[in-house]
Structures are given as structure tokens and as C-alpha cells.
Amino acid sequence: RDTEAIAAPTDAPDERIDVGVLIVGGGPGGLACAIRLGQLLEESPDVRDRLGDVPVAVLEKGKQPGSHLLSGAVMNPRAIRKLFAGRMTIEEMPTYGQVHREAVYLLTKGASVRIPPPPTMMNRGNWVVSVSEFGRFLAEQAEAGGAMILPETTGQALLLDHGRVVGVRT
């Protein structure tokens, strides 16, 4: 119910952590957001100063970034190359290499038949990653850019004051 997910701020000011931008979720998307904000704030120190002592913070529910990310993945490198353009190449990131070819087989009880890969399964040029390892790497990059990672912290309710989002209860 929305009454459980939305609340008014009630904690004493000395029990709050004031942050400029709070990202709820320490997965690849949230961490990439923190990295990009760090890059933008690096270019605008006056804005960084206005955001306070903690300009960017990331709530991470796991014990450490990446600890709740369990799968492997095939990653299209376009966005990550753009995020780190001029700073780092994909070869410097934790990957298991590039996909050079793929094959799809139709399996039956007694045989397998190779079929053309459907468009959604064409991965040539993409990179194989452990999402957990990649999450830890992204967290390191976010912290290097000035973000504060808050591990073992879950968002419990969105805090509103006069219709304006003012925080998250953890």
C-alpha cells in the first residue's frame, strides 16, 4: 500500500544523513548513475560544493556492492564504453572476453539440431561478464568519483514533505 511506501519525515535531524543525490539501488544501473554524476560534478565543482559533504550516495541492500548480483551476462559494450570514454577501455574492466561466435541448438530426446540464432541471441561483439564482479568494479569506480556507498541499507519508505520528495527512510 502507498501508506507503507510513502511517509512524512519524522527522524531527528541528528539521525539523518544529508546527501545531495541519493540513488536507491546498488545494481549496475544505480552504480552507473553514480559514476556519471561523479563525472559531471568533477566538471562542475561549484555544483558539487552546493550538494554538501556527501554529494552522491548509493543505498546497497547487500553486504557489499555486487553481493546480491548472482548471474553471468553477455553485455553490449556500447553504454559502458560511453560511460568510461577517455578514462578506461573495456579491456581494462573485469570481463571474460568478447563473444566471437555463437551457436544455438534445438535439443530433442535423441538429437540436437543447429539452428540460426534468433536476433535476440546474436552476441558477436558483446562481452561476457560476471554481474557480481562487474558490480564490485562499478562500485569502486563510483567511490573513486566521490560517491558514498551505504551497504546493508534498504530503502523502506519514500519521505515526502508538502508533496516534495525529501529523502528515504532506511
Side-chain angles (χ1 to χ4, degrees), residues 17-123:
I17 299 174
D18 289 324
V19 302
V21 176
L22 178 66
I23 299 164
V24 179
L31 293 167
C33 178
I35 292 165
R36 184 64 183 134
L37 283 172
Q39 292 169 349
L40 292 171
L41 292 174
E42 186 179 292
E43 298 167 6
S44 301
D46 56 320
V47 175
R48 178 184 288 272
D49 293 343
R50 287 198 320 250
L51 291 176
D53 292 334
V54 182
V56 179
V58 180
L59 293 187
E60 166 55 57
K61 68 184 172 189
K63 192 170 189 94
Q64 65 181 7
S67 63
H68 67 284
L69 303 170
L70 301 176
S71 68
V74 178
M75 175 183 72
N76 182 321
R78 185 178 312 128
I80 206 75
R81 280 188 174 130
K82 186 174 180 180
L83 181 63
F84 289 106
R87 299 170 190 263
M88 182 181 301
T89 65
I90 196 162
E91 289 80 10
E92 298 172 87
M93 301 176 195
T95 71
Y96 289 90
Q98 192 172 17
V99 176
H100 297 288
R101 61 186 178 92
E102 62 272 309
V104 177
Y105 290 86
L106 175 65
L107 304 176
T108 67
K109 274 187 177 181
S112 63
V113 178
R114 187 171 178 169
I115 62 173
T120 57
M121 297 178 134
M122 292 182 179
N123 289 302

Side-chain angles (χ1 to χ4, degrees), residues 153-164:
T153 308
T154 58
Q156 300 296 314
L158 189 62
L159 301 178
L160 296 180
D161 186 22
H162 296 77
R164 184 173 172 255

Side-chain angles (χ1 to χ4, degrees), residues 101-153:
R101 61 186 178 92
E102 62 272 309
V104 177
Y105 290 86
L106 175 65
L107 304 176
T108 67
K109 274 187 177 181
S112 63
V113 178
R114 187 171 178 169
I115 62 173
T120 57
M121 297 178 134
M122 292 182 179
N123 289 302
R124 189 168 297 143
N126 293 340
W127 290 74
V128 179
V129 297
S130 159
V131 182
S132 178
E133 286 176 13
F134 211 75
R136 284 191 297 276
F137 163 76
L138 291 173
E140 290 169 6
Q141 300 308 308
E143 287 180 316
M148 175 187 279
I149 309 289
L150 302 168
E152 297 183 274
T153 308

